[in-house]
Amino acid sequence: MALTTMTDAPKGAGPSGARHVAIIMDGNGRWAQMRGRPRLLGHHAGAKRIREIVEACPDLGVKYLTIFAFSTENWKRTQSEVAGLMSLFRRYIQREAQDLFRRGVRVRFIGDRIKLDPKLVQLMDDLELLTSGNDRVHLTIALNYGGRDEVTRAAKRLAYEIEMGRLTHKDVDAETLARFLDTHVLPDPDLVIRTSGEARISNFLLWQSAYAEYEFIDTLWPDFTAGEFARIVQGFAARDRRYGGVKAKA
Ligand code: FPP
């Protein structure tokens, strides 16, 4: 096997497998509209897909799965769609909590909780606590999450530490800033998948995905299966990742 000269692979990136996969679960609305049904039905169908994908992770060597459930920009949707999504998140946590716990899934949430309903935040906190001893799969749900918002919040906290005299400007480097990100305990994603045919990243894990591989697929999220997930993850192993370095002769 060829060796690479790069020595600065992002923290946690596996030598060939996708240890951390992040997914932009897009296409719920179109899936429902194609069936002449309300968009919210597509979100409900989308929520039902999550369990199968989480369950597929251990056999594929995927230890970390991060899913984009609601962005800082999604508040621009109609009031009824936003309310429907918030209610879906509450019901999802209530319905799935015990099952996630029993299946050894550790759940974390990233994003700004300030704008979320306190009852939802309580459910999120409880689920994080309930599953905090699990280690089979680490599922991170991005809820009211935006990459720019996350980096801005991190910069603000870093500035506060400097103001308090606990850090100085000389301490500011990429590693220090990353310690203030919501994802500070997670490795960077190796692979980012977006469903539904759109080829954009929509403010998802901007900092963390600097060296991620991207896979844009046409399948709408409610039609995404463990089989397709497995094909993509297995295909990832064949990619040549150099992190800005060059490939050395074998
Ligand atoms: C994008 O599809 C999807 C969302 C904004 C919501 C994602 C939510 C889920 C998959 C279900 C709930 C998740 C959890 C964690 C319970 P879209 O509505 O933009 O689709 P469109 O592009 O076809 O309109």
Side-chain angles (χ1 to χ4, degrees), residues 27-123:
N28 296 344
R30 272 164 287 166
W31 184 91
Q33 279 162 346
M34 280 163 60
R35 288 161 177 76
R37 308 300 301 273
R39 294 175 54 81
L40 209 49
L41 192 98
H43 296 312
H44 280 265
K48 290 195 188 119
R49 292 281 80 224
I50 296 169
R51 187 187 287 199
E52 182 181 314
I53 303 307
V54 172
E55 265 317 289
C57 287
D59 283 349
L60 295 168
V62 176
K63 190 80 179 168
Y64 297 87
L65 178 72
T66 299
I67 56 176
F68 205 1
F70 193 88
S71 77
T72 45
E73 288 71 39
N74 285 151
W75 299 102
K76 292 183 206 150
R77 296 188 174 208
T78 63
Q79 200 267 334
S80 78
E81 183 169 346
V82 170
L85 275 166
M86 292 300 150
S87 152
L88 172 59
F89 298 142
R90 279 197 304 274
R91 284 160 58 185
Y92 173 83
I93 296 174
Q94 284 165 331
R95 195 179 59 227
E96 298 288 322
Q98 283 305 323
D99 192 67
L100 288 160
F101 170 65
R102 278 197 299 271
R103 287 186 289 117
V105 181
R106 177 162 189 175
V107 183
R108 294 185 181 89
F109 292 90
I110 55 170
D112 192 354
R113 301 182 190 201
I114 292 284
K115 234 180 142 178
L116 299 173
D117 183 289
K119 281 196 220 93
L120 173 59
V121 174
Q122 187 62 57
L123 288 167

Side-chain angles (χ1 to χ4, degrees), residues 59-211:
D59 283 349
L60 295 168
V62 176
K63 190 80 179 168
Y64 297 87
L65 178 72
T66 299
I67 56 176
F68 205 1
F70 193 88
S71 77
T72 45
E73 288 71 39
N74 285 151
W75 299 102
K76 292 183 206 150
R77 296 188 174 208
T78 63
Q79 200 267 334
S80 78
E81 183 169 346
V82 170
L85 275 166
M86 292 300 150
S87 152
L88 172 59
F89 298 142
R90 279 197 304 274
R91 284 160 58 185
Y92 173 83
I93 296 174
Q94 284 165 331
R95 195 179 59 227
E96 298 288 322
Q98 283 305 323
D99 192 67
L100 288 160
F101 170 65
R102 278 197 299 271
R103 287 186 289 117
V105 181
R106 177 162 189 175
V107 183
R108 294 185 181 89
F109 292 90
I110 55 170
D112 192 354
R113 301 182 190 201
I114 292 284
K115 234 180 142 178
L116 299 173
D117 183 289
K119 281 196 220 93
L120 173 59
V121 174
Q122 187 62 57
L123 288 167
M124 290 158 62
D125 289 344
D126 291 347
L127 182 56
E128 284 185 333
L129 187 64
L130 173 71
T131 62
S132 58
N134 285 348
D135 186 44
R136 186 166 155 259
V137 187
H138 292 242
L139 172 66
T140 301
I141 302 177
L143 220 170
N144 193 29
Y145 174 86
R148 286 184 175 179
D149 177 70
E150 180 194 31
V151 173
T152 307
R153 284 187 286 110
K156 204 175 270 184
R157 290 173 54 203
L158 189 48
Y160 182 72
E161 291 303 304
I162 293 171
E163 212 171 290
M164 291 292 112
R166 292 192 281 259
L167 291 174
T168 78
H169 74 277
K170 290 186 184 142
D171 297 313
V172 180
D173 55 17
E175 203 179 302
T176 309
L177 184 76
R179 288 213 307 267
F180 291 88
L181 295 173
D182 299 348
T183 53
H184 61 100
V185 292
L186 304 175
D188 287 341
D190 302 296
L191 172 66
V192 179
I193 301 170
R194 182 175 189 141
T195 58
S196 95
E198 312 287 352
R200 51 176 178 263
I201 56 173
S202 299
N203 207 4
F204 188 44
L205 300 176
L206 295 180
W207 174 284
Q208 300 84 344
S209 298
Y211 289 100

